[in-house]
Amino acid sequence: MTLYFEDVNVGDELPELVKGPISETQLVRYSGASGDFNPIHTVPRVAQEVGLDGIIAHGLLIMAFGGQCLTAWAGAGSVRQFKVRFSGMTKPSETVVCTGKVTKKEEDGELALVRGKLTVKDTDDTLKLKGDFTVALPRKSG
Amino acid sequence: MLDPSNKGKTFPPFSYTIERGKLREFLLAVGDDDAAYAVDDPPLPPTFPTVFTFWGGMSMDDLLREVGVEIHNVLHTGQEYEYFAPLHIGDTVTGQAAISDIYQRAGMDFMEIETEYKNQDGVLVLKDRAMLVVRGEE
């Protein structure tokens, strides 16, 4: 269902998106898909050699979950800007929850823009990343 | 400490052609089954440009080494994608990376690398900003 600019209000919360549990296999898949083959994401021995107690998820995979939260709400292809700050590491078997909130609506020429904030936390409420976004939405008036 | 005169330094351009199979592989890895991507001319997921960087052949290792930094001392602390025009399957994007900021705070070096992407028609489509912190050598 299309989300229209007129349907959105400042303070609206985005539908929560739950992702996980994250598996080791998913990290292998994301390494191949993204091309980020840093072995701390897939090879336990290397992760331990750099002082971690096991492999960790790619920060950019967690950001991709945040991106999915945005597009599931506003529509694929709607995102104009998406910025995050990484806060915590995520390990396999963890489940994360993406939430967001609308902070501003503005019309810039032909564009109807909605801005907001987004966070990804684990199920213990530990922050993984937080960020802000801008999506462009269609108007009902066309 | 990083030399602030590296601010503005640019790196060799690199290119990537957007493939349908890579889009499908990316969506499967993320676990996104939105039917909006299963059409002839699909949009791209917001963080898909990660693929441009890594598969387009930009070597972050080489880039950092040119400014005297080893990649194992670098933490990726933030990331931004800003879109200016739509991208399509079959488009070839060319990325040009530059050090857009360098500063010190609390004894640590901070660096931002901005990559501007243009499509095959020379139109600016995307800016990718990676925020990095450089840890001191032990």
Side-chain angles (χ1 to χ4, degrees):
Chain A
M1 211 174 68
T2 306
L3 182 72
Y4 289 99
F5 185 68
E6 291 86 346
D7 295 330
V8 177
N9 295 299
V10 171
D12 282 0
E13 295 197 358
L14 278 57
E16 194 176 272
L17 178 71
V18 178
K19 298 293 288 181
I22 296 162
S23 70
E24 286 90 342
T25 306
Q26 184 169 25
L27 302 187
V28 172
R29 288 191 96 131
Y30 185 79
S31 294
S34 68
D36 180 354
F37 289 104
N38 186 331
I40 64 168
H41 304 304
T42 49
V43 184
R45 176 181 53 76
V46 175
Q48 281 155 14
E49 280 170 7
V50 301
L52 299 166
D53 61 3
I55 59 172
I56 58 168
H58 309 68
L60 289 167
L61 174 62
I62 310 303
M63 185 180 184
F65 294 159
Q68 184 183 353
C69 180
L70 296 179
T71 54
W73 165 68
S78 65
V79 175
R80 291 292 173 274
Q81 176 267 338
F82 184 27
K83 178 180 185 176
V84 303
R85 177 159 291 279
F86 301 113
S87 298
M89 294 183 289
T90 306
K91 293 175 186 167
S93 84
E94 284 188 42
T95 294
V96 297
V97 183
C98 311
T99 57
K101 198 173 205 176
V102 173
T103 57
K104 196 174 184 187
K105 288 178 73 178
E106 61 185 80
E107 302 191 58
D108 178 9
E110 291 188 1
L111 286 175
L113 300 175
V114 173
R115 300 186 195 279
K117 295 191 178 303
L118 175 139
T119 62
V120 181
K121 295 177 174 178
D122 68 15
T123 48
D124 296 327
D125 223 28
T126 304
L127 188 66
K128 301 301 185 182
L129 64 78
K130 62 178 174 182
D132 51 70
F133 64 84
T134 305
V135 296
L137 296 181
R139 293 187 185 95
K140 281 181 178 167
S141 47
Chain B
M1 195 167 277
L2 277 178
D3 182 352
S5 71
N6 283 309
K7 183 173 171 176
K9 186 176 174 61
T10 59
F11 299 94
F14 58 94
S15 294
Y16 177 79
T17 299
I18 302 169
E19 300 159 350
R20 192 178 300 277
K22 181 53 86 179
L23 171 60
R24 182 170 156 71
E25 188 187 356
F26 185 88
L27 290 167
L28 282 169
V30 173
D32 187 347
D33 60 0
D34 191 333
Y37 296 114
V39 297
D40 278 350
D41 183 20
L44 299 177
T47 69
F48 186 78
T50 305
V51 171
F52 305 167
T53 311
F54 288 104
W55 285 108
M58 175 172 131
S59 168
M60 191 61 89
D61 297 40
D62 291 350
L63 188 157
L64 291 170
R65 211 165 282 135
E66 275 197 52
V67 295
V69 175
E70 289 297 327
I71 196 160
H72 62 257
N73 289 322
V74 172
L75 293 174
H76 188 189
T77 54
Q79 179 66 38
E80 178 175 16
Y81 298 106
E82 186 179 7
Y83 288 90
F84 298 92
L87 286 162
H88 304 277
I89 302 289
D91 282 351
T92 297
V93 292
T94 299
Q96 169 79 65
I99 296 180
S100 46
D101 204 6
I102 288 186
Y103 60 95
Q104 271 93 31
R105 189 178 292 166
M108 290 202 292
D109 285 307
F110 293 78
M111 183 160 62
E112 182 181 279
I113 296 173
E114 179 175 284
T115 308
E116 279 194 5
Y117 287 95
K118 291 181 177 171
N119 68 12
Q120 61 277 6
D121 300 321
V123 175
L124 176 69
V125 287
L126 169 72
K127 286 185 183 178
D128 169 323
R129 298 184 190 92
M131 281 66 88
L132 310 175
V133 173
V134 183
R135 298 183 289 196
E137 292 284 351
E138 307 264 318

